[in-house]
Amino acid sequence: MSALWDTHCHLTGYDRPTDVMAEAAEAGVAIVAVSEDPGQYRMLRTRLGRRPGVVSALGMHPLHAASFAPSDLARFLRLLPDAPWIGEIGLDFSPVGRASRRAQLRIFEAILSDPRTTALPLTIHSRGAELETIERLAQAGASRAILHWYTGPLGLLDQAVNAGLWFSVNPAMIVSTRAQRLLQEIPPDRVLLETDGPFTRHNSKPSRPSDLPDLLPRLAALWSTDKYGARNQLNANQTVFLSPPTTP
């Protein structure tokens, strides 16, 4: 059976990331190790190399936008040819991010304007800026973009789906009443998994990629199937998402 993918994990946030990777491999889970700036991405690539089951993602987190210099964006763009995945990028207009709105938009739009970006899988932060994020992803034709831990309005789901966007589900969402309502409205064939570990919790502990198989029964209940049906659906989704787009 193919691996489940944790499409959004802050691997550097764990005290013992090598243990986390070993547990994930044992559980049949592959990891996308997101970064928050180009320097952290370079560190990940140096430490992890190109080991099986772990992908390093090139990021510029929106909550750091105020501290990014033009040279940071230039460095991000220089690293693009080497990057297999992009993330975490996006927008955050919640109270904690509102002051840097202009800088966030400038960086996000610059990243999306480069066609090398939209050819790659993307993991996207959109808290408090869901409409602006979806509109810009749609304009860029970013159909391999995942709205990570989507918490926006139900009314925007159709717009996101019509733009070809995906949604990643984590352990915190699966036990949230509001998130469950969202999940019931998202087409099952647009759902992928994530942990956002270690910043979410599972069984009262920081989430780890090896926890993802535990989400299958809960997804099965939402989708009115059994856990094998949920697993098959996720496997099919991953196959579609991970397949590079064909060129005419």
Side-chain angles (χ1 to χ4, degrees):
M1 187 175 290
S2 62
L4 289 176
W5 279 79
D6 180 348
T7 61
H8 192 109
C9 180
H10 295 266
L11 196 53
T12 56
Y14 295 97
D15 292 335
R16 298 175 63 88
T18 54
D19 290 351
V20 173
M21 289 186 287
E23 290 169 7
E26 181 69 21
V29 177
I31 301 171
V32 178
V34 297
S35 62
E36 298 191 356
D37 58 67
Q40 189 180 72
Y41 170 74
R42 286 294 300 273
M43 180 192 71
L44 277 169
R45 290 303 299 265
T46 300
R47 290 185 177 179
L48 302 179
R50 296 181 181 273
R51 70 177 65 197
V54 183
V55 175
S56 300
L58 171 62
M60 287 189 79
H61 197 290
L63 289 180
H64 301 324
S67 66
F68 287 140
S71 59
D72 293 307
L73 178 58
R75 188 181 188 192
F76 180 100
L77 297 174
R78 284 198 305 271
L79 290 169
L80 265 178
D82 183 54
W85 200 292
I86 303 298
E88 179 172 3
I89 62 170
L91 300 172
D92 190 316
F93 297 164
S94 69
V96 70
R98 200 170 293 151
S100 61
R101 176 184 178 121
R102 186 172 298 179
Q104 290 181 45
L105 285 166
R106 174 178 55 79
I107 291 168
F108 191 46
E109 289 170 355
I111 290 172
L112 292 180
S113 70
D114 192 311
R116 295 174 297 180
T117 299
T118 52
L120 294 170
L122 313 172
T123 180
I124 305 292
H125 184 112
S126 62
R127 184 175 58 177
E130 293 84 8
L131 176 61
E132 294 87 347
T133 303
I134 292 167
E135 287 180 342
R136 282 159 178 78
L137 291 170
Q139 290 164 7
S143 60
R144 298 182 79 196
I146 309 167
L147 295 174
H148 130 74
W149 199 344
Y150 179 83
T151 57
L154 279 169
L156 293 178
L157 293 180
D158 284 345
Q159 188 171 340
V161 169
N162 291 337
L165 306 184
W166 298 72
F167 300 82
S168 52
V169 178
N170 62 48
M173 295 176 72
I174 212 76
V175 297
S176 160
T177 300
R178 183 179 185 279
Q180 286 178 13
R181 288 199 298 270
L182 280 167
L183 288 171
Q184 288 170 335
E185 298 298 325
I186 297 170
D189 63 0
R190 293 295 180 85
V191 172
L192 299 166
L193 297 182
E194 64 163 68
T195 55
D196 201 18
F199 304 119
T200 58
R201 299 189 73 78
H202 178 70
N203 293 336
S204 302
K205 297 179 181 179
S207 299
R208 299 164 83 91
S210 54
D211 296 329
L212 288 185
D214 292 348
L215 271 60
L216 294 177
R218 290 181 177 273
L219 280 174
L222 288 170
W223 293 343
S224 299
T225 183
D226 57 27
K227 67 177 182 179
Y228 301 104
R231 177 72 185 245
N232 289 338
Q233 179 69 68
L234 288 167
N235 285 344
N237 297 353
Q238 292 172 172
T239 298
V240 172
F241 181 80
L242 293 170
S243 299
T246 56
T247 54

